[in-house]
Amino acid sequence: MTSAKQPARLLIKIYQLFHISCAFLYCALLVRWMILIPLTSRKFLPGGIHTFLCSLMVYSAIGNMLLWLKTRGLGLSIFNRHNLKNVNLLYLVAILHFYDDYEHSLVLKNTSYSLFIVALSLTQMYHHWCRIFKSTGSQDISRSWASKINTFVMLPCLYMSEFYLLLLNTEIDNFHNGPKTVLLNKAVLVIFIPLCLHLYKSFIYK
């Protein structure tokens, strides 16, 4: 009986450590942005933060998906808003990493890039915080001021800033975007707003 409980306890520990680490790392991302933006301005911001941002998005997205598969398994439930968010983060890294010239990328020298970092940091800190303390009553969470800021301020800012970054990425020529990549990016742009509105509605009325 004890040996059967050990894997479950280990999984709980991994779950807790993962969400704690993500919460602290997204907090570190926000602090890093707050330190860099007055020193470098948005023109040189990507050079000090973009690698960390991309690495963190990959870590949190893959970690979330692996935990979901371990605890829920494969099934239709895998296509929920949380996993769509994880796929979205990986997609963003794939098209916006600019691994060899991100310091000179015009897409990343935009106000929407800073807004995206701030909104992503705050929404993900809140998300992982709620995952750590998920035993708290849902009604208390839904009525909290943090939840209202997250729902009605940060999430819309995140969606709008990401959409603008994706739009800029299709409008500004760069050698990372081949013909097939451009078609994919434009297809994502077409479905982005309707999908975000659907997910946002499901989040509000969950």
Side-chain angles (χ1 to χ4, degrees):
M1 190 72 176
T2 305
S3 60
K5 290 182 178 180
Q6 287 179 349
R9 289 178 179 175
L10 178 61
L11 182 61
I12 291 172
K13 293 295 183 183
I14 293 173
Y15 178 93
Q16 292 172 337
L17 287 173
F18 171 73
H19 287 294
I20 290 171
S21 66
C22 282
F24 275 104
L25 286 171
Y26 276 108
C27 181
L29 176 67
L30 181 61
V31 171
R32 190 167 189 162
W33 175 85
M34 293 172 66
I35 293 172
L36 286 174
I37 196 66
L39 297 175
T40 63
S41 75
R42 68 185 186 186
K43 184 177 181 181
F44 300 104
L45 177 65
I49 204 169
H50 195 63
T51 300
F52 181 47
L53 171 65
C54 290
S55 301
L56 179 52
M57 288 196 292
V58 170
Y59 169 70
S60 63
I62 292 179
N64 270 314
M65 294 173 77
L66 290 176
L67 281 174
W68 182 274
L69 288 173
K70 180 63 178 178
T71 56
R72 308 289 179 90
L74 290 172
L76 292 177
S77 62
I78 197 172
F79 299 106
N80 64 3
R81 58 187 175 84
H82 294 298
N83 284 321
L84 286 175
K85 175 200 73 177
N86 296 326
V87 172
N88 176 53
L89 292 179
L90 295 176
Y91 168 74
L92 281 174
V93 173
I95 65 166
L96 294 178
H97 59 77
F98 300 127
Y99 59 90
D100 51 357
D101 67 342
Y102 60 84
E103 294 181 350
H104 307 288
S105 173
L106 295 176
V107 176
L108 305 180
K109 298 179 184 295
N110 190 276
T111 304
S112 59
Y113 180 65
S114 285
L115 181 59
F116 174 78
I117 291 173
V118 173
L120 179 70
S121 299
L122 292 174
T123 55
Q124 291 307 295
M125 284 164 57
Y126 179 77
H127 166 74
H128 291 289
W129 177 269
C130 291
R131 289 292 179 179
I132 297 167
F133 300 102
K134 63 179 181 178
S135 59
T136 305
S138 58
Q139 290 185 347
D140 293 336
I141 293 176
S142 63
R143 293 172 182 171
S144 70
W145 61 269
S147 175
K148 291 177 181 178
I149 293 175
N150 179 69
T151 302
F152 300 110
V153 179
M154 289 296 103
L155 281 176
C157 287
L158 180 63
Y159 293 151
M160 289 187 293
S161 60
E162 181 182 342
F163 177 78
Y164 194 63
L165 285 174
L166 294 176
L167 181 63
L168 285 177
N169 192 49
T170 60
E171 295 295 323
I172 298 175
D173 293 330
N174 65 79
F175 63 87
H176 294 96
N177 289 341
K180 293 182 179 179
T181 306
V182 171
L183 285 176
L184 174 63
N185 293 342
K186 289 182 177 179
V188 171
L189 273 177
V190 170
I191 66 172
F192 185 83
I193 294 298
L195 183 60
C196 284
L197 289 174
H198 172 72
L199 295 176
Y200 186 61
K201 182 180 178 181
S202 67
F203 178 77
I204 293 176
Y205 297 106
K206 63 180 178 179

